Amino acid sequence: MSATENKKIDLKEAEEWYDKNKDINKFFCEEMHKLVERVISSEDLQVHSVTSRVKEKDSFLKKYEDKKYESIDKMTDVIGVRVITQILVDVDKVCKLIEKGFDIDRENSVNKTKKLKEHEVGYQSVHYVLKLNATRLSLPENKSFADKVFEIQIRTLLQHAWAENEHDNGYKFAGELPSKIKREFYLIAATLELMDMEFQKLADELDKYKEKTSQEIKENKLNIEINSTSLIEYLSEKFKDFDNLKKNLNGKDSEVIQELKDFGINTIAELGQHITDSFIDKFKYYDGGNYLGLLRVLMITSDINKYFGKCLKEEWTYCPKNFYSFMQTHYPDIDIDSIINKYKLKII
């Protein structure tokens, strides 16, 4: 909405304004959605989701009428973006990024959590009303957004669950509730808030474990159980010079950890015994890949029959061409062709 459109208008004029600005609002919404995603990803911050919407016409008109706005630019949430985080601390991180990257209308922005008194529970979320800052407005593609504002809501997944349920069932829970139901209603809100706090504690413990594990690995104290964190930390240190190696397990953490255990590898120390200097020198020639592929290549080159006979649970239908070439070139003594023939694998 334009700050210059500040005369009081009636409902018919509001409808006309909505229709007139429909396309630019849709475009602005899409661009702000993408911009918020870029701002968040620029700090390598992972969130559950980023969504956006232009307020539906009926909802826009109803709110305009109910709130009795003095002018159309007083409605600041025609364009809305919502960021859902996994844990509480990430709400603060997103807020800092937003405050650094946009001009904020402080008067119309609110932290709903801080408005709750110590004995109150209920809806929690941070709401900002934003404009593009001068730097972004100086870009030619943003000139049409000079007077436009949008609202962004930032909250955790559990806060979102409460908000959605309260909103969807508002017609049931409106007004003064029977005391028993009212108490149960707020107990649910309190439980969700406690769960958020417990998830944050777990996240903090995991960060401490990661830091401790990283230090132990650097000190060569490797009697550490195999898990996602210890694997990533160890392999990141061991293969830190492999720039093309993606530092992930491709979402198959549980599968490959079980394969390692079936292979007889239960600790980082035992894993280290298999990662010889010879393996590292040869793996430099493996084309691309990630830690999942690395671990499987390691097991296959250590004992191919043991891996395929005892460890592999998922059905292989093909053999990657880069893996086949790698094995033929660097491990000619291992009969990879017999495995391909036995399992009827296609080389792709």
Side-chain angles (χ1 to χ4, degrees):
M1 282 153 292
S2 168
T4 60
E5 295 182 63
N6 54 10
K7 70 182 184 71
K8 189 170 184 178
I9 62 176
D10 60 25
L11 200 59
K12 187 176 187 318
E13 288 177 300
E15 183 175 6
E16 291 172 352
W17 178 92
Y18 185 93
D19 292 338
K20 177 184 176 182
N21 290 274
K22 182 178 180 180
D23 290 340
I24 184 63
N25 283 340
K26 182 175 183 293
F27 180 58
F28 182 57
C29 181
E30 292 169 350
E31 292 303 300
M32 293 308 98
H33 183 137
K34 290 186 284 189
L35 178 56
V36 168
E37 286 185 324
R38 289 200 300 273
V39 167
I40 292 172
S41 63
S42 69
E43 296 295 324
D44 200 26
L45 179 61
Q46 294 186 345
V47 298
H48 177 267
S49 62
V50 178
T51 58
S52 61
R53 62 97 183 102
V54 179
K55 189 179 283 292
E56 294 291 338
K57 185 175 180 179
D58 289 346
S59 178
F60 166 81
L61 294 174
K62 185 178 186 306
K63 184 171 184 178
Y64 188 82
E65 185 175 30
D66 290 347
K67 295 287 186 179
K68 296 180 171 57
Y69 287 110
E70 295 177 0
S71 58
I72 198 133
D73 60 305
K74 297 296 182 182
M75 193 186 298
T76 56
D77 65 341
V78 176
I79 310 301
V81 177
R82 181 177 292 148
V83 180
I84 307 297
T85 72
Q86 298 281 6
I87 54 178
L88 286 166
V89 71
D90 288 342
V91 170
D92 293 333
K93 290 179 181 178
V94 173
C95 286
K96 288 177 181 177
L97 291 174
I98 295 302
E99 292 195 7
K100 185 170 68 173
F102 296 88
D103 282 347
I104 300 172
D105 178 352
R106 296 289 179 182
E107 183 180 348
N108 290 300
S109 300
V110 61
N111 186 332
K112 299 284 187 178
T113 302
K114 290 184 178 180
K115 291 180 74 70
L116 291 173
K117 296 178 182 178
E118 63 273 8
H119 64 280
E120 293 179 328
V121 294
Y123 178 72
Q124 298 186 59
S125 185
V126 181
H127 294 197
Y128 288 114
V129 175
L130 306 173
K131 291 179 66 174
L132 292 180
N133 59 28
T135 302
R136 290 200 166 98
L137 282 175
S138 66
L139 300 174
E141 63 267 27
N142 291 334
K143 298 241 181 243
S144 60
F145 302 151
D147 294 318
K148 299 195 75 63
V149 303
F150 70 102
E151 181 184 82
I152 184 168
Q153 298 177 357
I154 308 162
R155 56 193 186 222
T156 68
L157 190 57
L158 289 175
Q159 289 171 348
H160 181 61
W162 169 260
E164 289 295 284
N165 187 69
E166 185 182 39
H167 178 270
D168 292 344
N169 292 297
Y171 72 97
K172 280 185 178 292
F173 300 136
E176 188 65 20
L177 298 171
S179 57
K180 181 177 181 297
I181 295 176
K182 186 176 183 179
R183 176 173 173 76
E184 291 177 357
F185 187 76
Y186 284 108
L187 281 172
I188 293 172
T191 300
L192 289 175
E193 187 172 340
L194 282 171
M195 288 174 64
D196 244 342
M197 294 167 66
E198 290 302 315
F199 275 124
Q200 184 61 57
K201 286 180 183 178
L202 287 176
D204 292 342
E205 286 181 23
L206 187 57
D207 286 340
K208 290 178 182 177
Y209 175 80
K210 182 178 179 181
E211 185 178 342
K212 176 176 175 287
T213 300
S214 178
Q215 186 60 37
E216 288 177 342
I217 287 170
K218 289 176 182 177
E219 295 173 358
N220 205 35
K221 299 175 182 178
L222 304 181
N223 191 26
I224 307 168
E225 71 168 344
I226 292 283
N227 55 54
S228 298
T229 300
S230 62
L231 276 176
I232 297 295
E233 289 299 308
Y234 177 69
L235 295 175
S236 295
E237 178 66 22
K238 196 75 173 176
F239 294 88
K240 59 186 175 184
D241 296 327
F242 285 56
D243 296 333
N244 294 328
L245 188 61
K246 295 178 182 177
K247 299 179 179 181
N248 64 70
L249 296 168
N250 200 32
K252 295 191 175 183
D253 303 46
S254 298
E255 291 94 327
V256 75
I257 288 172
Q258 188 58 54
E259 289 176 13
L260 287 168
K261 290 180 178 179
D262 291 341
F263 199 83
I265 298 173
N266 295 284
T267 67
I268 295 299
E270 291 170 349
L271 176 63
Q273 292 172 6
H274 288 271
I275 303 178
T276 62
D277 290 340
S278 174
F279 175 80
I280 293 174
D281 288 339
K282 290 177 180 179
F283 196 77
K284 290 176 182 177
Y285 299 98
Y286 191 73
D287 183 20
N290 53 27
Y291 289 162
L292 173 68
L294 184 154
L295 291 169
R296 285 178 168 170
V297 170
L298 178 67
M299 287 184 278
I300 289 170
T301 55
S302 295
D303 191 331
I304 191 169
N305 292 312
K306 182 178 182 181
Y307 178 74
F308 279 94
K310 185 176 180 181
C311 305
L312 185 63
K313 300 297 189 295
E314 64 182 55
E315 183 179 353
W316 279 26
T317 57
Y318 71 95
C319 173
K321 186 179 292 185
N322 64 322
F323 171 70
Y324 182 73
S325 298
F326 173 78
M327 292 296 293
Q328 280 194 319
T329 302
H330 298 284
Y331 290 93
D333 295 337
I334 295 178
D335 190 3
I336 185 66
D337 288 315
S338 66
I339 293 294
I340 289 173
N341 293 330
K342 181 177 180 179
Y343 291 96
K344 299 181 173 57
L345 305 178
K346 296 179 179 179
I347 301 174
I348 299 177

